[in-house]
Amino acid sequence: MTKYQHYIDGDWIDPEGGLWLDTIDPYRGEPWAQIARGNSDDVTRAATAAHRAMTTGPWATLSASGRGKILRNIGDVVAKNAEQLAEIEARDNGKLLAEMHGQLEAIADCWYYYAGLADKVEGASIPVAKPNTVAFTTREPIGVVAALTAWNSPLWFATVKSAPAMAAGCAVVVKPSEFASASTLEFAKLLKEAGLPDGVFNVVTGLGPEVGSALVEHPAVSKITFTGSDATGAKIYETAARSMKRVSLELGGKSPNIVFEDADLDLAAAGVVSGIFGAAGQMCTAGSRLLVHSSVKEVFTEKLLHVARSIRLGDPMDPQTNVGPIATPPQYQKVLQYIDIAEADGARCILGGKPATGPGLTGGQFIEPTIFADVTNNMRIAQEEVFGPVLSIIEFEDEEQAVQIGNDIAYGLVAGVWTKSIGRAMRMSKALHVGTVWVNTYRSYSYMVPFGGMKGSGLGREQGIEAINEYLETKSIMISTDDNAPANTFVQR
Ligand code: NAD
């Protein structure tokens, strides 16, 4: 069995406490590797190494263009090793290999993108209305960044956090999910070849309450960037507030996918199905609430059932598979519990609703693509994130009601709008309180486009040019050019 140590200061290191955790292949339902179960000593080692790297190491004095060149090398080594990285992650969390291929391409490109941005971080010269005074700003790296990531797309999360952080001049300690740490560690193996100085990128693994919380509390850490559940995000926010650490949070969603009567219903049905059943619904962006106009509800539901019934569950490595297993045992139990809750609350199951069994599905945790009709927006199945292949159908009468139901939720991550009217698309995009609106498409991502949540879905933005600001502090500098000015005055000038 493969054994993964921590990656700290350019070295592979056993956990201080001598403990290891199994990591499970969710398709076969059996352990395939072990990861280090770290403790606070391991965290101190990693955070100290990162702090040293960005204050006294070669990273601290490297020019911005120099950092950009190294980030470009990282893109190259990722591209060269894409197949292996894709296979490791698919094995570790059950994500489709076909989807990982696309993601790896985007991951390499994301490193290139932030490589190009590294030397375009500029301050401003400010024409202050004061005599003999020059005022300008500089942008400085925020400090050591702790990146805590979820199990559903660990390498993507590590990339969209680390690439802008490193472009800004920061050093990073990544704490991947204990359920899927392997791809982040395999990535770390490539960094020497890319020429990254030791200590700039570190990985410590283990349990959230042990390693994750120690990292959040560590005094050498200045910024926490987190992707995961609302409950953990809130805990981290509270802890970070005590020492005024900066925080970005990418949390959950309960996103509306809104189908109007004037939409291309075939296109919309395909989009709604992939928006909730893709990745077995284990996406923060899952379009788990289908809002459909009452006049097309029956015909659209038929189309939806037709597409959903054609889904092939199976081995994530098989290119014919559309949907793989649920990644973790607790997540599997949670999805089944929500199916029971929906039924108890009066929702009507019109597809699936059970564990999926059959040839090729024996080892893993599979759940049938599940659709509930007759859902009202106040039911728990409409309000709470399931993070699984469960869709709720809610009917609306007009645009105003679609907006009202769409926004009547604690979350605000994404929304889908299906319509042929450009006016309606524009009105809906403005009215929905979400970080991203997709019109006549869904699950359309790009590292160039800012991503993040409003309301309970989080704080801050990842991706795009904007993301680099999450890793910079602005410093204002004001200089008197009057050599004869008094050094001190009690009168404000
Ligand atoms: P989680 O909160 O259980 O874990 C996320 C990370 O935090 C893991 O690395 C975990 O070990 C760590 N952690 C757990 N407890 C901690 C603590 N007390 N202190 C510090 N760290 C701790 O989430 P998960 O189950 O891995 O991921 C699923 C959740 O992630 C879903 O709710 C989903 O919506 C969310 N998610 C959000 C996005 C987004 O971009 N908005 C993307 C994917 C997933």
Side-chain angles (χ1 to χ4, degrees):
M1 225 173 8
T2 314
K3 210 168 181 177
Y4 288 103
Q5 299 161 290
H6 297 304
Y7 183 67
I8 300 175
D9 210 6
D11 281 330
W12 294 95
I13 291 177
D14 277 350
E16 194 73 39
L19 299 175
W20 300 84
L21 295 166
D22 282 345
T23 186
I24 313 283
D25 171 343
Y27 176 62
R28 291 182 179 73
E30 55 194 35
W32 73 275
Q34 287 196 310
I35 58 164
R37 177 173 172 176
N39 62 20
S40 57
D41 292 335
D42 299 313
V43 165
T44 295
R45 218 165 155 166
T48 309
H51 191 259
R52 195 182 327 113
M54 71 166 292
T55 48
T56 60
W59 195 241
T61 50
L62 194 62
S63 67
S65 317
R67 290 200 302 272
K69 278 184 193 151
I70 292 178
L71 265 55
R72 175 157 276 281
N73 295 345
I74 296 177
D76 286 343
V77 292
V78 167
K80 205 166 83 182
N81 294 277
E83 186 58 39
Q84 192 205 348
L85 290 167
E87 278 173 21
I88 293 280
E89 184 157 317
R91 183 154 199 208
D92 211 18
N93 71 359
K95 218 173 165 69
L96 298 188
L97 184 62
E99 189 163 340
M100 283 309 300
H101 286 149
Q103 215 174 75
L104 258 300
E105 231 172 84
I107 286 171
D109 285 347
C110 184
W111 283 102
Y112 295 141
Y113 178 81
Y114 287 105
L117 195 57
D119 58 5
K120 290 160 197 75
V121 174
E122 296 171 350
S125 167
I126 301 164
V128 284
K130 285 181 180 293
N132 307 320
T133 304
V134 171
F136 61 97
T137 59
T138 58
R139 317 292 311 285
E140 299 187 352
I142 205 164
V144 171
V145 173
L148 298 115
T149 61
W151 43 259
N152 53 334
S153 276
L155 193 51
W156 174 257
F157 300 142
T159 303
V160 295
K161 295 174 190 307
S162 307
M166 284 158 56
C170 298
V172 181
V173 181
V174 182
K175 204 310 264 171
S177 166
E178 55 273 32
F179 292 108
S181 294
S183 55
T184 307
L185 291 155
E186 287 288 338
F187 165 75
K189 286 184 186 167
L190 309 174
L191 297 176
K192 293 255 190 219
E193 188 186 335
L196 186 72
D198 293 343
V200 178
F201 183 93
N202 308 273
V203 187
V204 285
T205 58
L207 302 176
E210 295 177 1
V211 174
S213 59
L215 193 54
V216 169
E217 286 173 28
H218 201 282
V221 169
S222 299
K223 161 90 190 191
I224 297 139
T225 169
F226 170 82
T227 296
S229 63
D230 316 347
T232 310
K235 231 183 262 174
I236 287 175
Y237 199 15
E238 269 183 52
T239 308
R242 283 187 227 127
S243 53
M244 215 51 80
K245 289 189 169 101
R246 276 59 172 147
V247 178
S248 309
L249 302 171
E250 296 291 345
L251 308 176
K254 190 77 194 178
S255 299
N257 215 340
I258 306 173
V259 179
F260 284 96
E261 65 280 17
D262 66 348
D264 178 328
L265 295 184
D266 291 313
L267 196 71
V272 169
V273 164
S274 85
I276 182 63
F277 300 126
Q282 302 168 109
M283 310 165 272
C284 51
T285 51
S288 47
R289 290 186 299 152
L290 163 63
L291 274 52
V292 59
H293 190 266
S294 55
S295 68
V296 291
K297 190 185 84 174
E298 299 303 329
V299 58
F300 189 71
T301 302
E302 278 315 308
K303 286 180 188 291
L304 205 59
L305 287 170
H306 179 73
V307 183
R309 284 193 187 108
S310 70
I311 290 174
R312 280 185 302 270
L313 302 177
D315 184 347
M317 301 294 181
D318 181 346
Q320 301 303 315
T321 299
N322 302 129
V323 173
I326 302 296
T328 77
Q331 187 57 33
Y332 178 71
Q333 291 307 331
K334 181 178 160 193
V335 177
L336 292 175
Q337 275 163 16
Y338 267 109
I339 291 174
D340 290 345
I341 290 169
E343 281 171 342
D345 285 353
R348 184 165 53 91
C349 186
I350 57 169
L351 186 74
K354 295 190 302 298
T357 51
L361 305 181
T362 45
Q365 306 139 152
F366 284 89
I367 294 180
E368 294 173 344
T370 297
I371 301 180
F372 283 103
D374 301 342
V375 175
T376 53
N377 201 47
N378 59 355
M379 288 181 185
R380 285 185 65 189
I381 197 64
Q383 289 289 320
E384 297 174 21
E385 185 183 53
V386 176
F387 217 60
V390 182
L391 178 69
S392 297
I393 304 181
I394 302 168
E395 170 177 343
F396 67 86
E397 298 298 335
D398 56 26
E399 210 176 292
E400 192 185 342
Q401 195 185 18
V403 171
Q404 184 269 319
I405 298 172
N407 286 337
D408 180 18
I409 194 90
Y411 295 107
L413 194 59
V414 303
V417 176
W418 301 84
T419 176
K420 285 189 187 140
S421 155
I422 185 75
R424 175 172 271 165
M426 295 300 290
R427 290 192 299 276
M428 292 299 292
S429 302
K430 184 157 187 242
L432 290 163
H433 297 156
V434 295
T436 297
V437 179
W438 285 313
V439 178
N440 296 331
T441 184
Y442 205 85
R443 291 187 84 198
S444 180
Y445 307 102
S446 167
Y447 53 85
M448 297 183 204
V449 179
F451 180 82
M454 293 189 186
K455 304 197 287 186
S457 289
L459 284 180
R461 291 292 178 271
E462 299 195 314
Q463 305 173 185
I465 295 174
E466 219 176 300
I468 202 162
N469 295 328
E470 303 279 338
Y471 304 100
L472 292 164
E473 293 272 25
T474 297
K475 181 176 281 176
S476 300
I477 298 161
M478 297 178 78
I479 301 177
S480 168
T481 56
D482 183 352
D483 291 339
N484 299 316
N488 257 316
T489 172
F490 292 103
V491 180
Q492 200 181 10
R493 284 150 53 87

